[in-house]
Amino acid sequence: MNLEVYNPKSTVEVLDLLNKYKRDAKLIAGGTDLVLDLREKKIKPKAIIDISNLDELKYIKKDNNYIEIGASTTFTDIEKSEILTDNLKGLKKAAREVGSPQIRNRGTIGGNICNASPAADIVPPLLSLDATVVIKSKDNKREVSLEKIFLNKGKIDIKEDEMVLSVKFKNTKGKLGFYKLGLRKALAISKIATAIYIEKEDNICKEIRIGNGALGRHGLRERKVEDYLINKEINEAIIEASATLLSEEIEKRLKGRSSLEFKKEAVKGTFKKAFKDAL
Amino acid sequence: MIKEGIGLGTMFYGTGYGNGFPDVSKAEAVLRADGKVAVHTGATEVGQGAKTAMTQIACEVLGLKVNDIILISEDTSNMPDSGTAAASRQTYNTGNAVKKTCEDLREKIKEEAKLKLNLNTDVGLKLKDGYVYVETLPEKSIALKDLAKDKSLKIKGSFTAQTTEMDPETGQGAPYWPYTFGACAVKVSVDTLTGEVNVLKAVFTQDVGRAINPSLVEGQMDGGFSMALGYALLEDINVDNGKIKNDSFTNYLIPTSLDMIDIDNILIEDPENTAPYGAKGVGEPVMIPVTPAILNAIYDAVKVRITEIPVTPSRVLKELNKSKK
């Protein structure tokens, strides 16, 4: 196998290479997913383009309107960021519960999205933040809602000559909660991950967005439950009723799966925990 | 809702092969020309501390420092067989062989010293720090290296454990010697919403006869606890139609350092009279009472008896739901 490895110095160079190699090229940032696929010969690219040293893709910045995170920003960077304030602790928590310290030091937010695993840990909180993905090719730049980018398990709507530059979301005052249910305390793949963003006024739910992971082919928003909760007063009975509604949704979605029995019960737990985390 | 519970597990366990199976360990001890003693024995180190324990036993018998014992093991061309590093038997069985062989070497050294020092008898001779001397007249002494200058002194020895076969008809008898005892108490929390079980606290006691090396015994206890924690809550090879599904550490989950807790380990020392300095085997025993303790604690927390391991969140929720109906 003839494999070229490139170390471009800028995204312009990266995009030129992508334009040249198209589907025969793979981008490597942290490599925590890609290297496994290479080892197991699941993929056989002709070129690997290393973007791990591109500082222009590593940042977390904030202005009055948006918070933007560069694609090569690692989970460790997110976990330790001072720009991400306390109301966004759900995002930091999701980053902190990824894999192990070694994986968090290498793995990136862009990689986690592009790998499109149903259990991608950073996706549910970003869905709850209604994040937008900034995508660039040699000649074009576009922005797509994260929710719309997933096509299937492992499949994402990014063309072969495109790369993710960043993820951004509105800089708002609401709170983001998160709960991951894994089988152990580290190095655990999510069984369920739930993220909930809430803005409230006088205990009335003015804005709510619920993102779930590992409960479908990819991360999903739970619109039905959101619609139910909007403009309602937040109390135990409402939380309980929402959890039941969510469980019914999951039951429909996972019908026929062996994991259904467990997940339709456990999701009530992750929902309640993430909800309380967001209050 | 988080519910807490406390559970206990107890056990007793036979050291060695047992049931009449020949359980033999051999050793050789050689006083070398440089005054150091080489101990050849097949006690394989698998992380349990066999090399440390054998060296300590030889040191104790011969009055030597650790650096003056050359332990030769895991080299089959240069050591006698001492059986497997299994059945929690090395410290007891091979420890006995090493002790006995070193004691015989000590007597031979005293005999040689009696001749070299022109003494009437070897009574009252002591070995310490590489010298043999008359206890009441320490200046009457000779260095071990001077004793071995012309010829090295060499002793072979062995130890065979007393084991008898059980009655094949009744299953009655005394298959092992000795037995060791242990008990473990744990406190767990069970999340009734997600089925997650957390081990919060543990007190663990192990009868060790006599700890040759207390730190190593505590290490064994930590290790046994961690294995049993994985056994209780995580580890599942998931056999489906004869095929192992969880065939890598990606899905065969063992505890990480974050899953492990600090344990309050308590060593019970009640020396066994057939054992080297009283020491019994603890390798396997330290795993045994922990899983039952965890399962009992889960029962105490949620009053539902879980009869299948590992106790995953999925099993917990399933059993909790069943009990509601």
Side-chain angles (χ1 to χ4, degrees):
Chain A
M1 187 175 70
N2 206 2
L3 180 68
E4 300 284 337
V5 177
Y6 291 93
N7 244 314
K9 298 283 171 285
S10 69
T11 53
V12 176
E13 271 184 62
V14 175
L15 293 167
D16 280 341
L17 285 164
L18 278 177
N19 195 48
K20 180 182 159 195
Y21 280 98
K22 299 256 165 47
R23 71 213 306 260
D24 291 327
K26 282 278 175 194
L27 296 181
I28 187 166
T32 55
D33 291 307
L34 189 82
V35 171
L36 302 184
D37 287 347
L38 286 170
R39 285 239 172 103
E40 289 167 14
K41 299 195 171 26
K42 279 186 192 159
I43 52 167
K44 288 172 184 169
K46 288 188 180 142
I48 286 185
I49 305 166
D50 183 1
I51 57 169
S52 61
N53 293 319
L54 280 185
D55 284 343
E56 60 177 301
L57 293 175
K58 260 186 237 215
Y59 58 86
I60 300 174
K61 62 186 182 190
K62 175 158 79 171
D63 61 24
N64 287 333
N65 300 318
Y66 281 98
I67 293 173
E68 186 168 5
I69 304 177
S72 290
T73 307
T74 65
F75 296 115
T76 302
D77 295 334
I78 294 170
E79 180 190 340
K80 305 230 162 108
S81 166
E82 283 170 16
I83 293 168
L84 302 171
T85 42
D86 237 21
N87 62 318
L88 295 173
K89 64 178 178 186
L91 184 62
K92 289 185 170 184
K93 202 170 161 193
R96 190 172 62 240
E97 292 183 13
V98 170
S100 62
Q102 298 90 331
I103 291 170
R104 293 194 289 274
N105 286 341
R106 298 295 309 165
T108 65
I109 187 169
N112 203 228
I113 292 169
C114 292
N115 193 52
S117 159
D121 285 303
I122 210 72
V123 168
L126 289 175
L127 284 171
S128 299
L129 291 166
D130 198 21
T132 301
V133 185
V134 181
I135 299 165
K136 178 109 176 60
S137 68
K138 191 168 154 51
D139 305 312
N140 192 23
K141 189 172 175 182
R142 63 187 178 113
E143 296 189 358
V144 189
S145 159
L146 176 69
E147 195 188 356
K148 302 246 161 63
I149 212 169
F150 300 109
L151 301 175
N152 206 334
K153 184 180 171 180
K155 289 261 176 338
I156 190 169
D157 180 24
I158 288 182
K159 295 182 185 66
E160 54 202 30
D161 61 343
E162 288 182 325
M163 72 184 289
V164 170
L165 290 186
S166 68
V167 186
K168 61 182 193 179
F169 46 87
K170 285 201 179 110
N171 181 9
T172 46
K173 290 276 173 277
K175 269 179 135 185
L176 180 70
F178 179 77
Y179 194 82
K180 167 177 171 172
L181 173 57
L183 289 184
R184 64 178 166 191
K185 295 201 175 76
L187 284 164
I189 296 167
S190 286
K191 287 285 163 190
I192 303 177
T194 302
I196 302 181
Y197 174 84
I198 301 175
E199 280 174 32
K200 54 176 186 170
E201 267 169 42
D202 304 328
N203 213 33
I204 303 291
C205 181
K206 296 312 265 182
E207 177 77 59
I208 178 142
R209 293 188 293 264
I210 304 162
N212 264 331
L215 288 171
R217 292 196 184 93
H218 46 76
L220 287 166
R221 284 276 293 277
E222 304 291 352
R223 301 275 182 189
K224 259 214 174 136
V225 186
E226 293 175 7
D227 291 346
Y228 174 77
L229 272 160
I230 196 82
N231 293 323
K232 289 226 165 59
E233 190 184 336
I234 295 165
N235 57 43
E236 283 297 326
I238 286 295
I239 297 175
E240 193 65 48
S242 313
T244 306
L245 183 61
L246 178 60
S247 177
E248 286 164 11
E249 281 298 294
I250 300 307
E251 183 153 17
K252 279 182 230 161
R253 194 180 305 154
L254 299 183
K255 207 170 179 188
R257 299 275 195 97
S258 60
S259 59
L260 168 67
E261 211 55 36
F262 166 57
K263 288 193 172 178
K264 74 170 189 187
E265 282 306 317
V267 75
K268 291 191 247 174
T270 61
F271 174 81
K272 287 179 197 171
K273 284 163 192 288
F275 202 101
K276 294 205 168 131
D277 201 32
L279 292 178
Chain B
M1 205 197 303
I2 308 277
K3 293 193 169 179
E4 289 187 352
I6 288 171
L8 271 169
T10 58
M11 71 97 217
F12 73 107
Y13 191 80
T15 298
Y17 297 142
N19 201 27
F21 195 85
D23 199 339
V24 184
S25 286
K26 293 178 186 166
E28 283 174 28
V30 184
L31 176 61
R32 310 193 318 179
D34 60 1
K36 295 185 177 188
V37 171
V39 175
H40 302 245
T41 191
T44 301
E45 177 64 51
V46 290
Q48 84 280 44
K51 282 179 166 168
T52 309
M54 296 311 138
T55 304
Q56 280 185 249
I57 289 169
C59 286
E60 191 70 24
V61 175
L62 295 163
L64 289 172
K65 297 235 157 49
V66 166
N67 288 341
D68 294 322
I69 301 291
I70 313 294
L71 185 76
I72 294 146
S73 61
E74 300 143 357
D75 177 354
T76 51
S77 71
N78 199 15
M79 70 183 201
D81 183 14
S82 291
T84 53
S88 307
R89 60 181 285 286
Q90 285 292 1
T91 300
Y92 175 76
N93 227 77
T94 307
N96 259 326
V98 167
K99 180 165 180 272
K100 197 161 167 260
T101 306
C102 288
E103 282 167 351
D104 289 351
L105 179 67
R106 184 181 64 199
E107 295 317 304
K108 194 160 182 176
I109 288 169
K110 285 183 186 174
E111 245 172 66
E112 285 295 317
K114 182 192 111 180
L115 295 174
K116 289 270 166 64
L117 294 171
N118 285 320
L119 300 169
N120 298 327
T121 172
D122 61 9
V123 169
L125 284 179
K126 280 261 169 185
L127 273 76
K128 197 159 185 352
D129 298 337
Y131 287 87
V132 197
Y133 60 94
V134 180
E135 201 173 6
T136 51
L137 188 62
E139 51 269 42
K140 201 85 177 154
S141 80
I142 182 166
L144 292 187
K145 63 174 182 231
D146 293 329
L147 272 183
K149 214 162 40 189
D150 308 321
K151 56 167 184 179
S152 67
L153 305 182
K154 185 173 175 179
I155 291 286
K156 289 184 181 185
S158 79
F159 174 80
T160 302
Q162 183 63 271
T163 89
T164 51
E165 202 177 347
M166 290 184 290
D167 185 319
E169 293 286 321
T170 64
Q172 297 296 299
Y176 292 95
W177 188 342
Y179 288 89
T180 182
F181 303 83
C184 182
V186 300
K187 185 175 173 186
V188 306
S189 70
V190 181
D191 190 323
T192 57
L193 290 175
T194 58
E196 290 163 288
V197 176
N198 270 316
V199 177
L200 305 171
K201 188 175 167 21
V203 182
F204 193 7
T205 61
Q206 177 62 49
D207 155 41
V208 55
R210 167 79 67 84
I212 300 291
N213 187 311
S215 294
L216 285 177
V217 175
E218 282 199 53
Q220 291 271 38
M221 292 172 79
D222 285 346
F225 189 96
S226 149
M227 286 173 72
L229 175 77
Y231 184 55
L233 302 179
L234 299 170
E235 298 178 37
D236 184 6
I237 56 171
N238 193 8
V239 180
D240 181 29
N241 247 331
K243 189 170 160 44
I244 291 174
K245 295 278 215 185
N246 292 349
D247 59 355
S248 81
F249 287 118
T250 302
N251 39 29
Y252 184 86
L253 303 181
I254 59 173
T256 67
S257 56
L258 291 186
D259 296 284
M260 188 56 185
I261 57 164
D262 281 331
I263 307 161
D264 186 1
N265 287 320
I266 299 167
L267 276 57
I268 308 288
E269 295 196 297
D270 178 18
E272 153 65 30
N273 62 13
T274 66
Y277 300 106
K280 299 191 282 193
V282 297
E284 293 156 298
V286 289
M287 189 184 160
I288 299 169
V290 180
T291 300
I294 293 172
L295 289 170
N296 285 337
I298 293 169
Y299 176 74
D300 187 45
V302 295
K303 304 293 179 253
V304 172
R305 183 59 76 182
I306 293 176
T307 54
E308 199 176 350
I309 52 171
V311 185
T312 56
S314 155
R315 281 200 175 117
V316 171
L317 288 188
K318 196 173 160 190
E319 295 302 322
L320 286 178
N321 267 340
K322 253 199 250 169
S323 74
K324 274 188 224 153
K325 282 168 192 164

